[in-house]
Amino acid sequence: MSDTDTALDFDLDRLRGGTPPRNHDARTIAALTANPGCARRGVMDAAGVDKDFLARELGFPSPFGQSQFAITRGNVFEAQVKADGCAELLTLLRERLGLEVPEVAYDDLEVVAGNEGRELRHARTRRLLARALESGEGTLFDHPLLRLEIAGQVAYLEPDVIAFQLRGRLHVIEIKSFAVVDGQAEPEQVAAAARQSAVYVLALRRLVAELGHRPDRVSHEVFLVCPENFSNRPTATPLDVRPQLAVLERQLARLTKIDRIVGELPPDLTFAPGDALPEAVRAVEARYAPDCMSSCEMAFFCRDEARACGATGTLGRSVRDDLGGVDSIGTALGLAEGTLEPSDDLAETAVQLRTAARLRREVLGGAA
Ligand code: SF4
């Protein structure tokens, strides 16, 4: 290990306040892409800080995670779809999506000869996928155990998904228990499923590349399987996860440059519990937006902070983006009303805000 690595380990240890790094899983990796511009989240994730613990220490616990009811419903639906060697899933792929699925081989990689050790399971996943890629044989691989390196740490991914080989390409099948009603599902849930599937696609692509094959042997098209119209009958929808993959790869590359990120922080910064914790967290810039509420454990703390300083992000990411470099609602109002003189870089935004304010006055005046 080099001196630089040792120094970095020491810095990360200090940031975490001496606690061990939190392991990533597919959900936490997928969430990395939800707000890539947030330095606070970037630092905490790179250092492996337990954000859930930190939020509780700050007095802003987040009610993250699924309810027991949703977990049970999800498990029942998944077991039904995968029963009898994925019989129902195969019917769905053949009949509903019109895929020509040939004779089927099904391998469950969850347990190896009664042994659930992660290294052993990952080795078996590698072996079976290598054979399938060479021979074109093998169709369904249930519970493949994948690995992905995040900021120098290896994260094991234990997806419920299935890797499905069709015409020499592997597709990820993600089974979710939220309903598709009249062909529509909750967009936020579909977006979260797409982000999570992209993590599996990337991990599978890296494994396929390690095995000496082209990464595009893993397709960017995944199949999302959900219950249809509140029944337990499954339906499948193809999803193109290329945009999510691009964001994920960019964000992971950013996290590997962790020494640079850490180098820009105050040298004695630590997220150790104590009176100084809120100040330490505020020392790292955040970019709060309402969608943080569904993707980050720090959301209640950051929302409180953003509201207290009237940050434009509290109005939503699109409003903040439309306002360019104007970070506070007070500044936006001052520019719109002409009570604040804009700096050179905000001159154009100020003109647009004044025009919008004038139009609003005219419309409201007309209505009166
Ligand atoms: S909740 Fe806070 S730390 Fe998390 S992504 Fe949003 S702004 Fe960043």
Side-chain angles (χ1 to χ4, degrees):
M1 186 183 275
S2 71
D3 288 350
T4 321
D5 287 342
T6 315
L8 183 60
D9 282 349
F10 182 74
D11 285 342
L12 298 183
D13 207 39
R14 173 176 46 75
L15 277 174
R16 290 191 304 271
T19 57
R22 187 175 188 272
N23 283 336
H24 278 287
D25 57 30
R27 189 183 68 78
T28 62
I29 297 168
L32 294 177
T33 62
N35 193 357
C38 178
R40 182 175 295 168
R41 170 159 207 156
V43 166
M44 290 184 176
D45 284 334
V49 169
D50 184 342
K51 298 197 294 301
D52 183 41
F53 172 75
L54 208 61
R56 277 186 275 121
E57 283 293 309
L58 288 162
F60 290 90
S62 72
F64 245 57
Q66 288 183 304
S67 69
Q68 193 52 47
F69 172 76
I71 292 171
T72 308
R73 176 177 152 78
N75 290 344
V76 169
F77 179 66
E78 188 192 325
Q80 173 201 326
V81 172
K82 289 183 176 176
D84 301 323
C86 296
E88 200 165 355
L89 181 63
L90 285 164
T91 307
L92 191 67
L93 294 170
R94 285 184 177 128
E95 293 178 2
R96 303 286 280 285
L97 294 177
L99 301 180
E100 288 167 24
V101 184
E103 209 175 307
V104 170
Y106 169 79
D107 290 294
D108 187 347
L109 306 174
E110 190 165 24
V111 179
V112 180
N115 191 325
E116 297 183 13
R118 293 193 300 189
E119 277 303 329
L120 208 59
R121 283 182 54 203
H122 179 66
R124 181 153 185 252
T125 298
R126 281 179 71 98
R127 209 170 49 248
L128 286 190
L129 283 179
R131 198 173 66 197
L133 289 163
E134 289 296 336
S135 66
E137 289 169 10
T139 317
L140 295 169
F141 301 94
D142 197 355
H143 299 109
L145 190 72
L146 307 171
R147 294 201 308 194
L148 201 57
E149 200 175 301
I150 313 292
Q153 294 175 48
V154 171
Y156 282 90
L157 308 174
E158 306 195 40
D160 299 328
V161 296
I162 296 175
F164 160 60
Q165 181 160 235
L166 181 68
R167 291 193 283 271
R169 291 187 91 192
L170 290 163
H171 296 255
V172 162
I173 299 179
E174 174 95 38
I175 301 171
K176 291 286 181 196
S177 61
F178 59 80
V180 173
V181 181
D182 294 334
Q184 301 285 327
E186 195 65 51
E188 265 188 21
Q189 289 181 309
V190 176
R195 285 199 294 267
Q196 211 164 321
S197 303
V199 175
Y200 299 137
V201 170
L202 185 65
L204 260 177
R205 282 190 170 176
R206 296 209 171 155
L207 175 56
V208 163
E210 275 172 34
L211 294 169
H213 297 275
R214 289 198 331 265
D216 65 2
R217 295 274 312 258
V218 181
S219 175
H220 54 258
E221 186 177 62
V222 307
F223 297 109
L224 182 60
V225 175
C226 298
E228 189 174 29
N229 297 336
F230 302 113
S231 69
N232 263 351
R233 208 167 51 139
T235 185
T237 318
L239 271 184
D240 182 342
V241 298
R242 271 176 293 188
Q244 291 79 7
L245 269 173
V247 179
L248 180 63
E249 289 193 275
R250 257 203 319 276
Q251 187 68 348
L252 291 186
R254 193 169 156 253
L255 289 184
T256 36
K257 299 187 189 104
I258 183 176
D259 46 348
R260 205 184 306 157
I261 301 174
V262 171
E264 288 167 6
L265 298 175
D268 54 351
L269 187 75
T270 174
F271 299 129
D275 293 346
L277 181 59
E279 228 23 69
V281 173
R282 286 194 198 102
V284 189
E285 198 185 335
R287 272 175 75 82
Y288 175 79
D291 31 2
C292 289
M293 297 302 284
S294 60
S295 59
C296 182
E297 293 87 342
M298 294 295 294
F300 284 87
F301 177 83
C302 297
R303 183 178 67 175
D304 186 70
E305 176 192 49
R307 280 180 176 169
C309 63
T312 50
T314 55
L315 303 175
R317 207 168 288 178
S318 62
V319 176
R320 182 178 58 203
D321 293 347
D322 285 347
L323 286 172
V326 184
D327 290 332
S328 100
I329 297 171
T331 307
L333 290 174
L335 291 174
E337 288 157 7
T339 54
L340 273 184
E341 266 309 305
S343 53
D344 287 350
D345 57 326
L346 291 181
E348 201 178 315
T349 309
V351 171
Q352 288 171 346
L353 281 169
R354 275 187 218 132
T355 306
R358 180 174 53 74
L359 290 173
R360 181 175 179 275
R361 275 195 301 274
E362 285 173 10
V363 169
L364 291 180

